[in-house]
Amino acid sequence: MTYLAKPKLHHPDLPKNSIGLTRRDYEGAISTLCAGCGHDSISAAIIQACWELAIQPHRVAKLSGIGCSSKTPTYFLDKSHGFNSVHGRMPSVLTGANLANRDLIYLGVSGDGDSASIGIGQFAHIMRRGVNMTYIVENNGVYGLTKGQFSATADQGSKSKKGAVNTDSAIDLVSLGLQLGATYVARSFSGDKEQLVPLIKGALSHRGAALIDVISPCVAFNNHAGSTKSYDYVRAHNEAVNRLDFMPHRDAITTMYAPGEVIEVTQHDGSVLRLRKLARGYDAGDRLAAMNHIATHQARGEILTGLLFVQADADDLHAHLNTVATPLNRLGAAELCPGSAALAAINAELS
Ligand SMILES: Cc1ncc(C[n+]2csc(CCOP(=O)(O)OP(=O)(O)O)c2C)c(N)n1
Ligand code: SF4
Ligand SMILES: [Mg+2]
C-alpha cells in the first residue's frame, strides 16, 4: 500500500495560526518513505513554512514528477491542488497551470534525477522563463526510487554504496539556476530546519522563479563513507553564507542587528527578507559574485548554503508575456471570443 491516511484526531490545544489552522491542517498522508529519509524532513519544513505564513491550503498547487522526492506532495498539504506528472516533466505542467491560473501559489517538488537528468531541458526553460513558483529539488545524488544509480548531481569521484566510483562531472543546480536567470536561488540541507523553513517562506513570497536545492540524504543508497550527499559529509562541509529571517508584510519590522551585519530586502509583496551575513563580503544581490563564490567553495569540497541570490523586484512570465490579469477560468465568453469584427481586424494586421 502506498497511501496511508493520517488519523484526524489531534490535541484540542494545538497552536493555531492567524487563519485558525493548526500544523495538522497542513499535513498529508503518512509517509511511506524509508525511516530517516531526508525528503520527510523537507515535507515537515514545507508544512511549517505554510502554517507560519497562514497560507490557505486550497490556494496552493503542488506539482511533481516521479521519484521518492516526487511522491512527497502526498505527505503534505492534503487540502491543496496536486498533480503528479511524468518523470522530468513537472516544469511544463506547472508552467501551463500557472499560465491558466495565476492566482494560485505554485510549488514544484522534484528530485535530482527528475530535474538534472531526464528533466534538465524542462528545468532550464522554467528557470529562464521566470515562472512564478517555488521549485524545490530534493537532492540526494542518486535515483532513490529505482535503487540507487548515480544521478547527474553525484560528485565526480564519489562512491556508490557498492564501491563504484562516479567518473562524470556533477551538475550543480544552483549554479545552473543562476546562469539561467532564476531570481531567488538558495541551497539548504534537509537536516537544518532552522535554515530551510525561512528559505521556503521567502521563496513562497517571491515573484518569479525561486529555486531551492536541498541536499537530502538517501539513507538506503547514499549515506555511506565516500558519498558527498551523506548526513556526515554535509554536516562536515556545510558553509552558510547567511541566515535568513522572513517577515511577512503584516509584521512590524524591528531592527535587531547592528548595521553592517544585516541586509534587509523588501520583496514586491512588502515582505522583508532579513539576511544575517555569515560570510564576510557576501552580497546576495550580485548574481556573478554568487556564481563565483559557489564555484570557489565547490573546488574546496565545501557546500555553500543559505540565500545565494535574490532579485526582489523581479518580473515573472506573466509580466514578460503581458497576459490578462484574470485567471482564464474566470473569463467569460465575451472576453474569450471578441467577435468576428475584432478577428477581421487582427487578420488585417497580419496580411
Ligand atoms: C520516463 C521515465 N524514465 C524512467 C523512469 C524510472 N524512474 C523512476 S524514478 C527515477 C529516478 C528518480 O530519481 P530522483 O528524481 O533523484 O528521485 P529520488 O527517488 O532520488 O528522490 C527513474 C529513473 C520513469 N519512471 N519514467
Ligand atoms: S530509497 Fe532513499 S530517497 Fe527513497 S525513500 Fe528510501 S531513503 Fe528516501
Ligand atoms: Mg534523487
Side-chain angles (χ1 to χ4, degrees):
M1 186 193 259
T2 55
Y3 182 96
L4 296 168
K6 261 189 194 165
K8 284 289 164 202
L9 277 178
H10 61 74
H11 195 282
D13 291 337
L14 281 182
K16 293 187 172 152
N17 63 13
S18 62
I19 56 169
L21 299 180
T22 70
R23 273 187 207 80
R24 295 289 319 268
D25 296 312
Y26 293 83
E27 289 179 349
I30 292 175
S31 171
T32 57
L33 302 185
C34 308
C37 175
H39 300 351
D40 279 335
S41 306
I42 302 173
S43 297
I46 292 170
I47 289 168
Q48 183 70 19
C50 291
W51 179 75
E52 286 181 15
L53 285 177
I55 287 175
Q56 292 173 308
H58 70 271
R59 291 205 49 240
V60 178
K62 41 178 191 161
L63 296 100
S64 62
I66 298 290
C68 299
S69 36
S70 291
K71 282 169 68 177
T72 63
T74 306
Y75 313 138
F76 58 81
L77 294 174
D78 65 0
K79 296 172 191 69
S80 301
H81 306 276
F83 196 95
N84 192 203
S85 74
V86 180
H87 196 26
R89 272 61 165 194
M90 174 272 282
S92 53
V93 180
L94 192 155
T95 304
N98 184 299
L99 280 173
N101 186 353
R102 66 200 288 167
D103 272 3
L104 296 178
I105 299 165
Y106 288 92
L107 176 59
V109 177
S110 182
D112 43 305
D114 201 60
S115 281
S117 297
I118 193 169
I120 193 157
Q122 298 226 345
F123 173 85
H125 292 291
I126 201 165
M127 292 300 155
R128 63 181 272 276
R129 285 179 172 144
V131 177
N132 188 15
M133 57 165 185
T134 298
Y135 191 121
I136 297 178
V137 182
E138 306 193 343
N139 187 350
N140 52 19
V142 288
Y143 301 162
L145 190 71
T146 54
K147 306 262 178 272
Q149 304 86 347
F150 286 125
S151 81
T153 67
D155 285 309
Q156 199 167 37
S158 61
K159 273 199 189 136
S160 74
K161 198 172 172 183
K162 292 197 170 160
V165 176
N166 178 38
T167 51
D168 298 339
S169 292
I171 291 174
D172 181 45
L173 287 171
V174 289
S175 301
L176 196 57
L178 281 167
Q179 202 269 324
L180 290 163
T183 47
Y184 182 107
V185 179
R187 182 155 51 205
S188 191
F189 172 42
S190 62
D192 188 350
K193 200 174 172 185
E194 264 184 41
Q195 183 190 52
L196 182 55
V197 171
L199 285 175
I200 295 173
K201 287 165 72 179
L204 288 169
S205 74
H206 180 74
R207 179 176 62 188
L211 167 67
I212 312 179
D213 177 27
V214 189
I215 311 295
S216 175
C218 167
V219 290
F221 300 109
N222 207 10
N223 194 34
H224 48 272
S227 159
T228 55
K229 302 273 192 286
S230 64
Y231 282 108
D232 286 348
Y233 187 92
V234 180
R235 282 196 190 106
H237 297 82
N238 189 343
E239 279 287 318
V241 289
N242 49 36
R243 283 270 155 181
L244 178 69
D245 297 319
F246 175 85
M247 284 150 292
H249 63 281
R250 57 180 179 272
D251 287 7
I253 309 300
T254 53
T255 302
M256 288 159 22
Y257 308 100
E261 295 172 346
V262 166
I263 294 179
E264 289 187 347
V265 182
T266 306
Q267 302 219 92
H268 81 283
D269 64 351
S271 60
V272 173
L273 310 176
R274 181 176 282 158
L275 289 166
R276 285 179 285 156
K277 277 195 184 190
L278 299 179
R280 195 183 290 268
Y282 188 77
D283 179 3
D286 185 335
R287 188 183 289 274
L288 282 181
M291 290 165 84
N292 200 16
H293 208 70
I294 293 165
T296 307
H297 283 260
Q298 209 167 4
R300 292 188 209 143
E302 290 163 358
I303 303 164
L304 216 55
T305 59
L307 181 55
L308 303 169
F309 174 74
V310 62
Q311 183 187 331
D313 63 351
D315 278 334
D316 76 334
L317 181 61
H318 282 282
H320 300 161
L321 297 180
N322 193 22
T323 57
V324 62
T326 313
L328 301 189
N329 63 359
R330 274 188 250 147
L331 292 177
E335 291 103 336
L336 291 170
C337 181
S340 50
L343 191 59
I346 293 169
N347 282 340
E349 273 176 28
L350 298 174
S351 62

